[in-house]
Amino acid sequence: MNVDLVVAGSGFFGLTVAERCAAGLGLRVLVLDRRDHIGGNAYSEIEPETGIEVHRYGAHLFHTSNERVWEYANRFTAFTGYRHRVYSTFKGRVYPMPINLGTICEYFGRAFTPDEARALIAAQAAEVTAPANLEEKAISLIGRPLYEAFIRGYTAKQWQTDPRDLPAEIITRLPVRYTFDNRYFDDTHEGLPVDGYTAWLERMADHPNIEVRLNTDFLDLRDDVVGNVPVVYTGPLDRYFGYAEGELGWRTLDFALEVQPTGDFQGTPVMNYADEDVPYTRIHEFRHFHPERDCYPSDRTVIMREFSRAAERGDEPYYPVNTAADRARLLAYRELVAREDGVLFGGRLGTYKYLDMHMAIASALGMVDNKLRPHFRGDSRLTNGGPGGSGGSSPQEGHGGVDE
Protein backbone atom coordinates (compact mmCIF):
# COMPACT_ATOMS: atom_id res chain seq x y z
CA MET A 1 0.00 0.00 0.00
CA ASN A 2 1.78 3.08 -1.29
CA VAL A 3 0.53 5.58 1.30
CA ASP A 4 1.91 7.13 4.47
CA LEU A 5 -1.33 7.25 6.49
CA VAL A 6 -4.75 5.62 6.37
CA VAL A 7 -7.73 7.50 7.79
CA ALA A 8 -10.86 5.45 8.45
CA GLY A 9 -13.84 7.78 8.19
CA SER A 10 -14.39 11.00 6.24
CA GLY A 11 -16.27 13.13 8.76
CA PHE A 12 -14.87 16.42 10.00
CA PHE A 13 -12.37 14.69 12.27
CA GLY A 14 -11.03 12.36 9.59
CA LEU A 15 -10.90 14.98 6.84
CA THR A 16 -9.16 17.50 9.09
CA VAL A 17 -6.47 14.94 9.89
CA ALA A 18 -6.16 13.99 6.23
CA GLU A 19 -5.97 17.58 4.99
CA ARG A 20 -3.42 18.70 7.58
CA CYS A 21 -1.22 15.65 7.02
CA ALA A 22 -1.39 16.02 3.23
CA ALA A 23 -1.01 19.81 2.98
CA GLY A 24 0.99 20.45 6.14
CA LEU A 25 3.24 17.38 6.33
CA GLY A 26 3.36 16.33 2.69
CA LEU A 27 2.04 12.84 3.45
CA ARG A 28 0.15 10.58 1.07
CA VAL A 29 -3.16 9.91 2.79
CA LEU A 30 -5.79 7.29 1.97
CA VAL A 31 -9.27 8.05 3.36
CA LEU A 32 -11.74 5.17 3.57
CA ASP A 33 -15.47 5.44 4.23
CA ARG A 34 -18.21 2.80 4.38
CA ARG A 35 -20.79 5.23 3.03
CA ASP A 36 -21.27 6.36 -0.56
CA HIS A 37 -20.39 9.97 0.30
CA ILE A 38 -17.84 11.94 2.28
CA GLY A 39 -18.57 14.08 5.30
CA GLY A 40 -20.10 11.68 7.78
CA ASN A 41 -23.25 13.06 9.40
CA ALA A 42 -22.50 16.60 8.19
CA TYR A 43 -23.23 15.59 4.60
CA SER A 44 -25.80 17.72 2.79
CA GLU A 45 -27.49 17.24 -0.56
CA ILE A 46 -29.96 18.93 -2.88
CA GLU A 47 -33.53 17.65 -2.72
CA PRO A 48 -34.24 17.08 -6.43
CA GLU A 49 -37.86 18.27 -6.61
CA THR A 50 -37.27 21.63 -4.92
CA GLY A 51 -33.54 22.31 -5.19
CA ILE A 52 -33.44 22.94 -1.43
CA GLU A 53 -30.27 21.87 0.39
CA VAL A 54 -31.07 19.19 2.96
CA HIS A 55 -28.92 17.99 5.85
CA ARG A 56 -29.43 14.25 5.42
CA TYR A 57 -28.59 13.37 9.02
CA GLY A 58 -30.36 16.20 10.82
CA ALA A 59 -29.67 19.91 11.19
CA HIS A 60 -26.00 20.87 11.51
CA LEU A 61 -25.21 24.37 12.79
CA PHE A 62 -21.63 25.58 12.86
CA HIS A 63 -20.48 27.75 15.76
CA THR A 64 -17.28 28.16 17.72
CA SER A 65 -15.34 30.44 20.02
CA ASN A 66 -12.09 28.70 19.10
CA GLU A 67 -10.20 31.15 16.89
CA ARG A 68 -7.95 28.48 15.45
CA VAL A 69 -10.93 26.37 14.40
CA TRP A 70 -12.69 29.41 12.90
CA GLU A 71 -9.60 30.37 10.89
CA TYR A 72 -9.16 26.80 9.69
CA ALA A 73 -12.80 26.45 8.60
CA ASN A 74 -12.61 29.72 6.68
CA ARG A 75 -9.86 28.29 4.49
CA PHE A 76 -12.48 26.11 2.83
CA THR A 77 -15.73 28.03 3.02
CA ALA A 78 -17.24 31.42 3.65
CA PHE A 79 -20.06 31.56 6.19
CA THR A 80 -23.44 33.24 6.15
CA GLY A 81 -24.64 35.44 8.97
CA TYR A 82 -27.10 32.79 10.13
CA ARG A 83 -27.92 32.79 13.86
CA HIS A 84 -29.71 29.74 15.16
CA ARG A 85 -33.00 30.21 17.00
CA VAL A 86 -35.26 27.39 18.14
CA TYR A 87 -38.90 27.36 19.18
CA SER A 88 -40.88 24.74 21.04
CA THR A 89 -44.54 23.82 20.72
CA PHE A 90 -46.31 22.80 23.94
CA LYS A 91 -50.06 22.31 24.22
CA GLY A 92 -50.73 24.27 21.06
CA ARG A 93 -48.61 27.29 21.96
CA VAL A 94 -45.15 28.25 20.73
CA TYR A 95 -42.30 29.38 22.99
CA PRO A 96 -38.71 30.50 22.30
CA MET A 97 -35.92 28.17 23.37
CA PRO A 98 -33.63 27.87 25.22
CA ILE A 99 -35.60 29.15 28.17
CA ASN A 100 -35.25 32.93 28.40
CA LEU A 101 -37.20 35.88 29.75
CA GLY A 102 -39.53 35.71 26.76
CA THR A 103 -40.28 32.03 27.48
CA ILE A 104 -40.97 32.76 31.13
CA CYS A 105 -43.25 35.72 30.40
CA GLU A 106 -45.17 33.81 27.73
CA TYR A 107 -45.56 30.64 29.80
CA PHE A 108 -46.69 32.33 33.01
CA GLY A 109 -48.79 34.93 31.16
CA ARG A 110 -47.38 38.12 32.62
CA ALA A 111 -44.47 40.52 32.24
CA PHE A 112 -41.51 39.83 34.52
CA THR A 113 -38.43 41.90 35.13
CA PRO A 114 -35.19 39.90 35.14
CA ASP A 115 -35.03 40.03 38.95
CA GLU A 116 -38.65 38.91 39.29
CA ALA A 117 -38.03 36.00 36.90
CA ARG A 118 -34.92 34.92 38.82
CA ALA A 119 -36.83 34.97 42.08
CA LEU A 120 -39.70 32.97 40.59
CA ILE A 121 -37.45 30.25 39.18
CA ALA A 122 -35.37 30.07 42.37
CA ALA A 123 -38.51 29.56 44.45
CA GLN A 124 -39.83 26.87 42.13
CA ALA A 125 -36.47 25.09 42.00
CA ALA A 126 -36.11 25.02 45.79
CA GLU A 127 -38.36 21.97 46.17
CA VAL A 128 -35.40 19.72 45.25
CA THR A 129 -32.16 19.99 47.22
CA ALA A 130 -30.47 16.63 46.59
CA PRO A 131 -31.43 15.47 43.06
CA ALA A 132 -31.19 11.71 42.53
CA ASN A 133 -32.42 11.44 38.94
CA LEU A 134 -32.83 13.49 35.78
CA GLU A 135 -36.27 14.80 36.72
CA GLU A 136 -35.15 16.04 40.12
CA LYS A 137 -31.97 17.53 38.68
CA ALA A 138 -33.93 19.45 36.05
CA ILE A 139 -36.42 20.72 38.63
CA SER A 140 -33.54 21.89 40.83
CA LEU A 141 -32.30 23.99 37.89
CA ILE A 142 -35.47 25.43 36.35
CA GLY A 143 -38.39 24.54 38.64
CA ARG A 144 -41.22 22.10 38.12
CA PRO A 145 -43.54 24.11 35.81
CA LEU A 146 -40.93 24.75 33.12
CA TYR A 147 -39.61 21.19 33.51
CA GLU A 148 -43.07 19.70 33.01
CA ALA A 149 -43.69 21.87 29.96
CA PHE A 150 -40.41 21.76 28.05
CA ILE A 151 -38.18 18.98 29.39
CA ARG A 152 -40.20 16.03 30.62
CA GLY A 153 -42.01 14.98 27.43
CA TYR A 154 -39.13 15.89 25.13
CA THR A 155 -36.65 13.91 27.23
CA ALA A 156 -38.98 10.91 27.49
CA LYS A 157 -39.21 10.83 23.70
CA GLN A 158 -35.47 11.25 23.25
CA TRP A 159 -34.57 8.45 25.63
CA GLN A 160 -37.76 6.36 25.55
CA THR A 161 -37.43 6.24 29.31
CA ASP A 162 -39.24 8.00 32.14
CA PRO A 163 -36.94 10.88 33.24
CA ARG A 164 -37.26 9.60 36.83
CA ASP A 165 -35.39 6.49 35.68
CA LEU A 166 -32.55 8.40 34.03
CA PRO A 167 -29.42 9.48 35.92
CA ALA A 168 -29.13 13.09 37.02
CA GLU A 169 -25.81 13.58 35.22
CA ILE A 170 -27.47 13.40 31.79
CA ILE A 171 -28.49 17.02 32.36
CA THR A 172 -25.51 18.91 33.75
CA ARG A 173 -27.08 22.29 33.09
CA LEU A 174 -30.19 23.80 31.58
CA PRO A 175 -29.51 27.29 30.28
CA VAL A 176 -31.89 29.99 31.46
CA ARG A 177 -31.40 33.54 30.22
CA TYR A 178 -32.99 36.34 32.15
CA THR A 179 -33.02 38.54 29.05
CA PHE A 180 -35.01 38.33 25.82
CA ASP A 181 -31.97 36.97 23.96
CA ASN A 182 -33.20 33.83 22.20
CA ARG A 183 -30.06 32.89 20.29
CA TYR A 184 -29.40 29.21 20.76
CA PHE A 185 -25.59 29.52 20.91
CA ASP A 186 -23.37 31.97 22.76
CA ASP A 187 -20.22 31.43 20.68
CA THR A 188 -18.18 34.21 19.12
CA HIS A 189 -18.58 32.86 15.60
CA GLU A 190 -21.63 31.29 14.00
CA GLY A 191 -22.91 30.71 10.50
CA LEU A 192 -23.64 28.18 7.79
CA PRO A 193 -21.31 27.41 4.87
CA VAL A 194 -22.35 29.60 1.96
CA ASP A 195 -22.18 26.79 -0.59
CA GLY A 196 -23.34 24.05 1.79
CA TYR A 197 -21.59 21.43 3.87
CA THR A 198 -20.73 19.04 1.06
CA ALA A 199 -18.90 21.76 -0.90
CA TRP A 200 -16.89 22.59 2.24
CA LEU A 201 -16.02 18.95 2.86
CA GLU A 202 -15.10 18.33 -0.77
CA ARG A 203 -12.66 21.25 -0.67
CA MET A 204 -10.98 19.74 2.38
CA ALA A 205 -10.49 16.46 0.51
CA ASP A 206 -9.38 18.14 -2.73
CA HIS A 207 -5.62 17.69 -2.44
CA PRO A 208 -3.32 15.72 -4.74
CA ASN A 209 -1.94 13.78 -1.76
CA ILE A 210 -5.41 12.62 -0.64
CA GLU A 211 -7.20 9.62 -2.12
CA VAL A 212 -10.78 8.96 -0.99
CA ARG A 213 -12.34 5.51 -1.38
CA LEU A 214 -16.05 5.31 -0.67
CA ASN A 215 -18.15 2.18 -0.11
CA THR A 216 -15.08 0.70 1.56
CA ASP A 217 -15.08 -0.72 5.08
CA PHE A 218 -11.74 -0.23 6.82
CA LEU A 219 -12.27 -3.38 8.88
CA ASP A 220 -12.27 -5.44 5.70
CA LEU A 221 -8.72 -4.18 5.08
CA ARG A 222 -7.49 -4.00 8.65
CA ASP A 223 -5.26 -7.09 8.51
CA ASP A 224 -3.45 -5.65 5.48
CA VAL A 225 -3.10 -2.18 6.98
CA VAL A 226 -2.54 -2.28 10.74
CA GLY A 227 1.12 -2.86 11.48
CA ASN A 228 2.13 -1.75 8.00
CA VAL A 229 0.76 1.80 7.76
CA PRO A 230 -0.17 4.25 10.54
CA VAL A 231 -3.93 4.52 10.97
CA VAL A 232 -6.36 7.10 12.33
CA TYR A 233 -9.61 5.27 13.07
CA THR A 234 -12.83 7.24 13.54
CA GLY A 235 -15.37 4.41 13.38
CA PRO A 236 -17.22 2.80 16.30
CA LEU A 237 -14.76 1.88 19.04
CA ASP A 238 -16.50 -1.35 20.04
CA ARG A 239 -16.81 -2.51 16.42
CA TYR A 240 -13.06 -2.14 15.88
CA PHE A 241 -12.44 -4.71 18.61
CA GLY A 242 -15.22 -7.03 17.50
CA TYR A 243 -17.40 -6.03 20.49
CA ALA A 244 -14.99 -7.95 22.71
CA GLU A 245 -16.03 -5.97 25.81
CA GLY A 246 -19.69 -5.67 24.83
CA GLU A 247 -21.64 -3.09 22.85
CA LEU A 248 -21.53 0.56 23.88
CA GLY A 249 -24.96 2.15 24.16
CA TRP A 250 -26.02 4.84 21.69
CA ARG A 251 -29.16 6.70 20.74
CA THR A 252 -29.97 6.90 17.05
CA LEU A 253 -32.32 9.02 14.96
CA ASP A 254 -34.81 8.21 12.24
CA PHE A 255 -35.91 10.87 9.74
CA ALA A 256 -39.04 11.27 7.61
CA LEU A 257 -38.50 13.68 4.71
CA GLU A 258 -41.50 15.35 3.07
CA VAL A 259 -42.02 17.90 0.31
CA GLN A 260 -44.93 20.11 1.38
CA PRO A 261 -47.04 22.11 -1.14
CA THR A 262 -46.41 25.47 0.52
CA GLY A 263 -43.68 28.04 0.48
CA ASP A 264 -43.35 28.01 4.26
CA PHE A 265 -44.45 25.18 6.56
CA GLN A 266 -43.51 26.46 10.05
CA GLY A 267 -41.78 29.82 9.71
CA THR A 268 -38.54 28.73 11.42
CA PRO A 269 -35.69 26.27 10.78
CA VAL A 270 -36.31 24.01 13.80
CA MET A 271 -39.48 23.52 15.82
CA ASN A 272 -39.30 21.28 18.90
CA TYR A 273 -42.37 19.36 20.07
CA ALA A 274 -42.41 19.04 23.83
CA ASP A 275 -45.71 17.14 24.15
CA GLU A 276 -45.09 13.48 24.88
CA ASP A 277 -48.03 12.35 22.72
CA VAL A 278 -46.37 13.82 19.59
CA PRO A 279 -44.15 10.97 18.36
CA TYR A 280 -41.36 13.09 16.86
CA THR A 281 -39.04 15.40 18.78
CA ARG A 282 -38.74 18.15 16.19
CA ILE A 283 -39.30 19.24 12.60
CA HIS A 284 -36.58 20.79 10.45
CA GLU A 285 -37.52 23.09 7.57
CA PHE A 286 -34.39 23.50 5.50
CA ARG A 287 -35.26 26.53 3.40
CA HIS A 288 -34.98 28.70 6.53
CA PHE A 289 -31.31 27.82 7.00
CA HIS A 290 -30.50 29.84 3.88
CA PRO A 291 -32.96 32.71 3.56
CA GLU A 292 -30.40 34.47 1.33
CA ARG A 293 -30.93 31.91 -1.44
CA ASP A 294 -33.46 33.26 -3.92
CA CYS A 295 -33.49 30.09 -6.02
CA TYR A 296 -35.80 28.16 -3.68
CA PRO A 297 -39.39 27.70 -4.91
CA SER A 298 -42.20 29.81 -3.46
CA ASP A 299 -44.80 27.03 -3.61
CA ARG A 300 -42.93 24.06 -2.11
CA THR A 301 -40.77 23.40 0.93
CA VAL A 302 -38.90 20.46 2.47
CA ILE A 303 -39.44 19.35 6.04
CA MET A 304 -37.92 16.51 8.02
CA ARG A 305 -39.50 14.97 11.12
CA GLU A 306 -37.02 13.54 13.61
CA PHE A 307 -37.62 10.48 15.79
CA SER A 308 -35.30 9.20 18.53
CA ARG A 309 -34.77 5.60 19.64
CA ALA A 310 -32.15 3.24 21.04
CA ALA A 311 -29.55 2.26 18.47
CA GLU A 312 -29.17 -1.35 17.45
CA ARG A 313 -26.18 -2.91 15.75
CA GLY A 314 -26.08 -1.61 12.20
CA ASP A 315 -27.82 1.68 13.03
CA GLU A 316 -26.00 4.99 12.81
CA PRO A 317 -25.01 5.95 16.38
CA TYR A 318 -25.63 9.60 17.30
CA TYR A 319 -25.55 10.20 21.05
CA PRO A 320 -23.66 8.09 23.62
CA VAL A 321 -25.98 6.84 26.34
CA ASN A 322 -23.10 6.69 28.81
CA THR A 323 -24.67 4.55 31.53
CA ALA A 324 -22.53 3.12 34.32
CA ALA A 325 -22.29 -0.11 32.31
CA ASP A 326 -21.19 1.88 29.24
CA ARG A 327 -18.49 3.64 31.25
CA ALA A 328 -17.20 0.30 32.54
CA ARG A 329 -17.06 -1.06 28.99
CA LEU A 330 -15.31 2.09 27.82
CA LEU A 331 -12.58 1.64 30.42
CA ALA A 332 -12.10 -1.93 29.20
CA TYR A 333 -11.85 -0.72 25.59
CA ARG A 334 -9.31 1.89 26.62
CA GLU A 335 -7.10 -0.90 27.85
CA LEU A 336 -7.32 -2.52 24.41
CA VAL A 337 -6.66 0.82 22.70
CA ALA A 338 -3.52 1.39 24.77
CA ARG A 339 -2.08 -1.85 23.37
CA GLU A 340 -2.96 -1.05 19.75
CA ASP A 341 0.28 0.43 18.43
CA GLY A 342 0.18 2.32 15.17
CA VAL A 343 -3.52 3.15 15.43
CA LEU A 344 -4.97 6.37 16.84
CA PHE A 345 -8.66 6.59 17.75
CA GLY A 346 -10.56 9.84 17.29
CA GLY A 347 -13.85 11.46 16.48
CA ARG A 348 -17.28 10.93 17.98
CA LEU A 349 -17.44 7.18 17.37
CA GLY A 350 -13.81 6.42 18.09
CA THR A 351 -13.85 8.13 21.49
CA TYR A 352 -17.46 7.47 22.56
CA LYS A 353 -18.07 11.20 23.09
CA TYR A 354 -20.61 13.51 21.53
CA LEU A 355 -18.59 16.03 19.52
CA ASP A 356 -19.95 19.16 17.92
CA MET A 357 -18.33 19.93 14.57
CA HIS A 358 -15.99 22.57 15.96
CA MET A 359 -14.92 20.19 18.73
CA ALA A 360 -14.15 17.46 16.20
CA ILE A 361 -12.00 19.86 14.17
CA ALA A 362 -10.19 21.11 17.28
CA SER A 363 -9.51 17.57 18.46
CA ALA A 364 -8.23 16.54 15.02
CA LEU A 365 -5.89 19.53 14.86
CA GLY A 366 -4.62 18.54 18.31
CA MET A 367 -3.99 14.97 17.16
CA VAL A 368 -1.95 16.21 14.21
CA ASP A 369 0.08 18.56 16.43
CA ASN A 370 0.69 16.21 19.33
CA LYS A 371 0.75 12.74 17.78
CA LEU A 372 1.13 12.64 14.02
CA ARG A 373 3.58 15.47 13.37
CA PRO A 374 6.07 14.23 16.01
CA HIS A 375 5.75 10.66 14.74
CA PHE A 376 6.38 11.49 11.09
CA ARG A 377 9.31 13.71 12.04
CA GLY A 378 10.82 10.74 13.82
CA ASP A 379 10.50 12.24 17.28
CA SER A 380 8.13 9.69 18.81
CA ARG A 381 6.33 6.39 18.27
CA LEU A 382 2.65 6.41 17.38
CA THR A 383 1.06 5.25 20.62
CA ASN A 384 -2.18 5.85 22.48
CA GLY A 385 -2.92 7.11 25.92
CA GLY A 386 -6.50 5.88 25.42
CA PRO A 387 -9.15 6.70 22.85
CA GLY A 388 -9.34 10.26 24.08
CA GLY A 389 -5.58 10.69 23.98
CA SER A 390 -5.45 12.64 20.75
CA GLY A 391 -3.94 15.74 22.26
CA GLY A 392 -7.00 17.73 21.18
CA SER A 393 -9.59 19.58 23.15
CA SER A 394 -11.63 18.03 25.94
CA PRO A 395 -15.13 18.12 24.50
CA GLN A 396 -18.13 18.33 26.75
CA GLU A 397 -20.75 15.70 26.26
CA GLY A 398 -23.97 17.02 24.76
CA HIS A 399 -27.52 16.22 25.67
CA GLY A 400 -28.47 16.06 22.01
CA GLY A 401 -30.88 18.95 21.80
CA VAL A 402 -29.56 20.15 18.44
CA ASP A 403 -27.19 18.45 16.05
CA GLU A 404 -24.13 20.33 14.98
Side-chain angles (χ1 to χ4, degrees):
M1 186 172 287
N2 191 30
V3 297
D4 301 307
L5 177 69
V6 172
V7 176
S10 66
F12 270 110
F13 189 98
L15 287 182
T16 300
V17 168
E19 190 280 330
R20 284 293 76 210
C21 286
L25 302 180
L27 303 179
R28 296 162 299 176
V29 183
L30 174 62
V31 178
L32 306 175
D33 203 295
R34 288 194 295 164
R35 298 180 182 179
D36 61 359
H37 61 76
I38 66 170
N41 286 359
Y43 175 74
S44 64
E45 60 190 344
I46 301 300
E47 194 284 318
E49 183 179 337
T50 62
I52 294 173
E53 182 190 1
V54 170
H55 302 174
R56 183 189 290 186
Y57 304 97
H60 280 65
L61 300 316
F62 192 77
H63 59 99
T64 185
S65 294
N66 185 318
E67 294 297 333
R68 185 185 185 194
V69 168
W70 182 243
E71 185 277 329
Y72 180 73
N74 275 270
R75 297 182 192 182
F76 307 100
T77 182
F79 287 89
T80 69
Y82 178 84
R83 297 294 180 267
H84 193 51
R85 290 175 170 85
V86 173
Y87 295 86
S88 184
T89 295
F90 175 68
K91 294 190 181 302
R93 297 178 66 178
V94 175
Y95 302 87
M97 297 295 289
I99 294 167
N100 60 71
L101 191 56
T103 317
I104 295 168
C105 291
E106 175 69 16
Y107 183 78
F108 291 104
R110 55 156 289 195
F112 288 91
T113 68
D115 286 343
E116 289 171 340
R118 285 191 182 92
L120 173 70
I121 300 305
Q124 293 175 347
E127 71 169 88
V128 176
T129 56
N133 55 51
L134 185 150
E135 178 173 289
E136 293 177 355
K137 178 68 173 179
I139 292 170
S140 74
L141 295 170
I142 62 171
R144 184 176 293 276
L146 295 179
Y147 163 75
E148 295 284 354
F150 302 114
I151 307 302
R152 177 175 168 74
Y154 194 88
T155 300
K157 288 189 292 186
Q158 271 199 323
W159 295 89
Q160 295 179 322
T161 302
D162 190 304
R164 290 170 293 188
D165 297 326
L166 291 169
E169 58 264 24
I170 287 180
I171 290 185
T172 56
R173 65 179 180 89
L174 284 173
V176 179
R177 295 193 186 121
Y178 295 99
T179 70
F180 289 100
D181 180 4
N182 68 335
R183 293 173 304 159
Y184 202 85
F185 304 115
D186 292 324
D187 286 291
T188 306
H189 305 290
E190 182 181 354
L192 292 173
V194 169
D195 301 321
Y197 280 101
T198 294
W200 173 7
L201 295 155
E202 287 175 342
R203 291 179 191 129
M204 293 179 70
D206 185 18
H207 191 281
N209 286 0
I210 297 176
E211 176 189 353
V212 178
R213 293 184 194 172
L214 302 176
N215 300 302
T216 303
D217 191 336
F218 166 77
L219 296 185
D220 292 339
L221 306 176
R222 177 172 56 183
D223 291 345
D224 297 325
V225 175
V226 175
N228 297 316
V229 181
V231 171
V232 173
Y233 176 80
T234 70
L237 178 61
D238 50 3
R239 185 171 180 264
Y240 180 92
F241 292 104
Y243 307 100
E245 302 296 339
E247 295 187 38
L248 295 168
W250 291 85
R251 304 295 299 169
T252 192
L253 300 175
D254 296 318
F255 301 101
L257 189 75
E258 303 173 19
V259 176
Q260 292 283 337
T262 178
D264 194 343
F265 180 81
Q266 64 185 18
T268 192
V270 178
M271 179 68 72
N272 289 353
Y273 287 83
D275 297 286
E276 198 167 352
D277 58 354
V278 177
Y280 41 86
T281 55
R282 52 191 171 180
I283 296 179
H284 311 274
E285 186 172 7
F286 292 101
R287 72 179 309 118
H288 293 296
F289 289 122
H290 287 279
E292 78 283 358
R293 294 180 181 174
D294 57 10
C295 57
Y296 288 170
S298 60
D299 60 347
R300 286 163 295 158
T301 192
V302 181
I303 68 167
M304 178 185 280
R305 301 177 199 271
E306 181 176 312
F307 304 80
S308 177
R309 62 178 173 83
E312 300 176 358
R313 191 177 297 190
D315 287 329
E316 177 60 37
Y318 280 79
Y319 308 118
V321 178
N322 204 28
T323 64
D326 288 321
R327 292 192 289 272
R329 293 187 190 101
L330 182 59
L331 289 175
Y333 279 119
R334 285 177 173 165
E335 293 297 322
L336 297 179
V337 164
R339 299 197 292 268
E340 196 76 4
D341 283 354
V343 181
L344 297 178
F345 294 77
R348 175 177 55 93
L349 303 180
T351 61
Y352 194 64
K353 291 180 180 178
Y354 183 76
L355 301 180
D356 295 339
M357 290 181 288
H358 65 288
M359 292 176 177
I361 293 171
S363 185
L365 293 172
M367 175 181 281
V368 173
D369 289 346
N370 300 309
K371 296 283 187 175
L372 293 166
R373 188 185 303 273
H375 169 76
F376 284 105
R377 285 181 172 174
D379 298 334
S380 67
R381 294 173 56 239
L382 202 62
T383 58
N384 283 283
S390 66
S393 60
S394 298
Q396 296 177 349
E397 294 170 4
H399 178 56
V402 171
D403 288 337
E404 303 185 84

